[in-house]
Amino acid sequence: GAVVSQHPSWVICKSGTSVKIECRSLDFQATTMFWYRQFPKQSLMLMATSNEGSKATYEQGVEKDKFLINHASLTLSTLTVTSAHPEDSSFYICSAQNVRSGTGIGNTIYFGEGSWLTVV
Amino acid sequence: AQSVAQPEDQVNVAEGNPLTVKCTYSVSGNPYLFWYVQYPNRGLQFLLKYITGDNLVKGSYGFEAEFNKSQTSFHLKKPSALVSDSALYFCAVRDTGTGGFKTIFGAGTRLFVKA
């Protein structure tokens, strides 16, 4: 089946540095990818919708300059957490929409394994 | 190992009828359980969660889910389906027993509500 891979699975970085998380669709093309974050005991929070070749659409309250999203190809979207701080520590997960499945409710969405970020 | 299963790829119901979307899970510790809905070309929307407490959890848009520990299930239900409920539904589980925070998603169930 279709696979979405996130890298790295775990990352620890120093406060003030930037860290990049990749989301790849391994065997299908994805015009749209979604980025989420999740805190302990909380549900996922949609951060942004990433469209190939265009600017990402950010949800209200998400800082665009802090969470940089790039969707340069149909198989790769990246999330860069800039000037990370301990409060950015969270579980980040992406999902990708399979182009060939169309855009109706029959479309197919696949989730990455998630990336756990710890800022120290 | 942690896992979650949505045994039905698709569920069809008539408007006004009750609906059930099934979810079963496997964890080593106590589970946190979530249901999400995704409309076409949109991100996930949170419906409800079970962390602890009452086994029957009520959520958004009239949905509810029942945590059944003995059957390791967390089925999503609604007494009366609407055409607008047609969407993709995802069940997710986080295993608190492993010390990690990984959330696993089911493959999704497509719900079609016919007028």
mmCIF file of all heavy atoms in Angstrom, chain A residues 84-104:
data_model
loop_
_atom_site.group_PDB
_atom_site.id
_atom_site.type_symbol
_atom_site.label_atom_id
_atom_site.label_comp_id
_atom_site.label_asym_id
_atom_site.label_seq_id
_atom_site.Cartn_x
_atom_site.Cartn_y
_atom_site.Cartn_z
ATOM 1 N N ALA A 84 13.820 27.375 17.323
ATOM 2 C CA ALA A 84 12.980 26.527 18.176
ATOM 3 C C ALA A 84 13.161 26.851 19.649
ATOM 4 O O ALA A 84 14.254 27.211 20.107
ATOM 5 C CB ALA A 84 13.307 25.059 17.919
ATOM 6 N N HIS A 85 12.071 26.712 20.383
ATOM 7 C CA HIS A 85 12.082 26.913 21.828
ATOM 8 C C HIS A 85 11.442 25.697 22.490
ATOM 9 O O HIS A 85 10.730 24.925 21.836
ATOM 10 C CB HIS A 85 11.325 28.185 22.194
ATOM 11 C CG HIS A 85 12.028 29.427 21.755
ATOM 12 N ND1 HIS A 85 13.140 29.919 22.410
ATOM 13 C CD2 HIS A 85 11.800 30.260 20.710
ATOM 14 C CE1 HIS A 85 13.557 31.014 21.794
ATOM 15 N NE2 HIS A 85 12.770 31.236 20.761
ATOM 16 N N PRO A 86 11.670 25.512 23.775
ATOM 17 C CA PRO A 86 11.113 24.329 24.446
ATOM 18 C C PRO A 86 9.606 24.152 24.258
ATOM 19 O O PRO A 86 9.122 23.017 24.185
ATOM 20 C CB PRO A 86 11.477 24.576 25.914
ATOM 21 C CG PRO A 86 12.762 25.328 25.846
ATOM 22 C CD PRO A 86 12.598 26.248 24.646
ATOM 23 N N GLU A 87 8.879 25.247 24.137
ATOM 24 C CA GLU A 87 7.425 25.116 23.958
ATOM 25 C C GLU A 87 7.049 24.568 22.582
ATOM 26 O O GLU A 87 5.884 24.220 22.349
ATOM 27 C CB GLU A 87 6.725 26.456 24.188
ATOM 28 C CG GLU A 87 7.191 27.582 23.304
ATOM 29 C CD GLU A 87 8.268 28.433 23.975
ATOM 30 O OE1 GLU A 87 9.025 27.882 24.811
ATOM 31 O OE2 GLU A 87 8.343 29.632 23.639
ATOM 32 N N ASP A 88 8.036 24.505 21.682
ATOM 33 C CA ASP A 88 7.782 23.899 20.374
ATOM 34 C C ASP A 88 7.913 22.379 20.421
ATOM 35 O O ASP A 88 7.586 21.698 19.433
ATOM 36 C CB ASP A 88 8.757 24.445 19.331
ATOM 37 C CG ASP A 88 8.595 25.939 19.123
ATOM 38 O OD1 ASP A 88 7.450 26.426 19.193
ATOM 39 O OD2 ASP A 88 9.627 26.622 18.907
ATOM 40 N N SER A 89 8.393 21.863 21.529
ATOM 41 C CA SER A 89 8.509 20.423 21.668
ATOM 42 C C SER A 89 7.132 19.796 21.526
ATOM 43 O O SER A 89 6.193 20.172 22.221
ATOM 44 C CB SER A 89 9.106 20.070 23.034
ATOM 45 O OG SER A 89 10.407 20.594 23.166
ATOM 46 N N SER A 90 7.028 18.863 20.626
ATOM 47 C CA SER A 90 5.719 18.292 20.323
ATOM 48 C C SER A 90 5.894 17.123 19.371
ATOM 49 O O SER A 90 6.999 16.820 18.932
ATOM 50 C CB SER A 90 4.813 19.358 19.689
ATOM 51 O OG SER A 90 3.491 18.892 19.530
ATOM 52 N N PHE A 91 4.784 16.490 19.069
ATOM 53 C CA PHE A 91 4.755 15.421 18.074
ATOM 54 C C PHE A 91 4.166 16.018 16.806
ATOM 55 O O PHE A 91 3.062 16.544 16.824
ATOM 56 C CB PHE A 91 3.902 14.273 18.597
ATOM 57 C CG PHE A 91 3.898 13.053 17.722
ATOM 58 C CD1 PHE A 91 4.995 12.235 17.657
ATOM 59 C CD2 PHE A 91 2.782 12.724 16.984
ATOM 60 C CE1 PHE A 91 4.998 11.095 16.863
ATOM 61 C CE2 PHE A 91 2.768 11.591 16.181
ATOM 62 C CZ PHE A 91 3.871 10.776 16.124
ATOM 63 N N TYR A 92 4.926 15.963 15.733
ATOM 64 C CA TYR A 92 4.489 16.535 14.466
ATOM 65 C C TYR A 92 4.195 15.395 13.492
ATOM 66 O O TYR A 92 4.988 14.463 13.339
ATOM 67 C CB TYR A 92 5.565 17.454 13.884
ATOM 68 C CG TYR A 92 5.778 18.695 14.708
ATOM 69 C CD1 TYR A 92 6.672 18.689 15.783
ATOM 70 C CD2 TYR A 92 5.079 19.866 14.438
ATOM 71 C CE1 TYR A 92 6.857 19.824 16.558
ATOM 72 C CE2 TYR A 92 5.257 21.002 15.205
ATOM 73 C CZ TYR A 92 6.148 20.972 16.272
ATOM 74 O OH TYR A 92 6.317 22.091 17.043
ATOM 75 N N ILE A 93 3.058 15.486 12.827
ATOM 76 C CA ILE A 93 2.672 14.425 11.907
ATOM 77 C C ILE A 93 2.153 15.025 10.609
ATOM 78 O O ILE A 93 1.559 16.107 10.613
ATOM 79 C CB ILE A 93 1.621 13.498 12.562
ATOM 80 C CG1 ILE A 93 1.402 12.227 11.761
ATOM 81 C CG2 ILE A 93 0.309 14.218 12.788
ATOM 82 C CD1 ILE A 93 0.685 11.159 12.541
ATOM 83 N N CYS A 94 2.440 14.348 9.516
ATOM 84 C CA CYS A 94 1.955 14.824 8.229
ATOM 85 C C CYS A 94 1.030 13.781 7.622
ATOM 86 O O CYS A 94 1.064 12.601 7.989
ATOM 87 C CB CYS A 94 3.110 15.122 7.275
ATOM 88 S SG CYS A 94 3.933 13.661 6.614
ATOM 89 N N SER A 95 0.218 14.218 6.709
ATOM 90 C CA SER A 95 -0.579 13.290 5.920
ATOM 91 C C SER A 95 -0.555 13.764 4.475
ATOM 92 O O SER A 95 -0.358 14.956 4.209
ATOM 93 C CB SER A 95 -2.018 13.187 6.434
ATOM 94 O OG SER A 95 -2.725 14.391 6.240
ATOM 95 N N ALA A 96 -0.734 12.831 3.569
ATOM 96 C CA ALA A 96 -0.654 13.148 2.143
ATOM 97 C C ALA A 96 -1.870 12.603 1.427
ATOM 98 O O ALA A 96 -2.363 11.512 1.736
ATOM 99 C CB ALA A 96 0.619 12.552 1.549
ATOM 100 N N GLN A 97 -2.328 13.389 0.478
ATOM 101 C CA GLN A 97 -3.508 13.012 -0.290
ATOM 102 C C GLN A 97 -3.070 12.498 -1.643
ATOM 103 O O GLN A 97 -2.326 13.163 -2.352
ATOM 104 C CB GLN A 97 -4.402 14.227 -0.436
ATOM 105 C CG GLN A 97 -5.691 13.996 -1.212
ATOM 106 C CD GLN A 97 -6.570 15.221 -1.163
ATOM 107 O OE1 GLN A 97 -7.013 15.617 -0.087
ATOM 108 N NE2 GLN A 97 -6.807 15.822 -2.296
ATOM 109 N N ASN A 98 -3.542 11.317 -1.990
ATOM 110 C CA ASN A 98 -3.175 10.688 -3.252
ATOM 111 C C ASN A 98 -3.909 11.361 -4.400
ATOM 112 O O ASN A 98 -5.131 11.371 -4.457
ATOM 113 C CB ASN A 98 -3.519 9.192 -3.195
ATOM 114 C CG ASN A 98 -2.972 8.432 -4.397
ATOM 115 O OD1 ASN A 98 -2.856 8.985 -5.479
ATOM 116 N ND2 ASN A 98 -2.644 7.185 -4.204
ATOM 117 N N VAL A 99 -3.154 11.929 -5.313
ATOM 118 C CA VAL A 99 -3.731 12.676 -6.421
ATOM 119 C C VAL A 99 -4.716 11.851 -7.218
ATOM 120 O O VAL A 99 -5.799 12.290 -7.563
ATOM 121 C CB VAL A 99 -2.604 13.172 -7.358
ATOM 122 C CG1 VAL A 99 -3.185 13.783 -8.617
ATOM 123 C CG2 VAL A 99 -1.751 14.180 -6.635
ATOM 124 N N ARG A 100 -4.326 10.610 -7.509
ATOM 125 C CA ARG A 100 -5.114 9.795 -8.420
ATOM 126 C C ARG A 100 -6.464 9.402 -7.840
ATOM 127 O O ARG A 100 -7.337 8.974 -8.562
ATOM 128 C CB ARG A 100 -4.333 8.539 -8.797
ATOM 129 C CG ARG A 100 -3.125 8.834 -9.646
ATOM 130 C CD ARG A 100 -2.467 7.573 -10.146
ATOM 131 N NE ARG A 100 -1.327 7.879 -10.987
ATOM 132 C CZ ARG A 100 -0.584 6.949 -11.569
ATOM 133 N NH1 ARG A 100 -0.885 5.676 -11.409
ATOM 134 N NH2 ARG A 100 0.449 7.307 -12.308
ATOM 135 N N SER A 101 -6.610 9.552 -6.546
ATOM 136 C CA SER A 101 -7.876 9.167 -5.939
ATOM 137 C C SER A 101 -8.913 10.273 -6.055
ATOM 138 O O SER A 101 -10.040 10.088 -5.634
ATOM 139 C CB SER A 101 -7.664 8.809 -4.470
ATOM 140 O OG SER A 101 -6.835 7.684 -4.347
ATOM 141 N N GLY A 102 -8.526 11.399 -6.576
ATOM 142 C CA GLY A 102 -9.488 12.476 -6.741
ATOM 143 C C GLY A 102 -9.655 13.299 -5.486
ATOM 144 O O GLY A 102 -8.915 13.162 -4.520
ATOM 145 N N THR A 103 -10.656 14.121 -5.464
ATOM 146 C CA THR A 103 -10.817 15.041 -4.335
ATOM 147 C C THR A 103 -12.127 14.817 -3.598
ATOM 148 O O THR A 103 -12.472 15.577 -2.726
ATOM 149 C CB THR A 103 -10.775 16.504 -4.837
ATOM 150 O OG1 THR A 103 -11.805 16.674 -5.811
ATOM 151 C CG2 THR A 103 -9.432 16.826 -5.451
ATOM 152 N N GLY A 104 -12.853 13.791 -3.953
ATOM 153 C CA GLY A 104 -14.089 13.523 -3.251
ATOM 154 C C GLY A 104 -13.839 12.768 -1.965
ATOM 155 O O GLY A 104 -12.707 12.552 -1.568
#
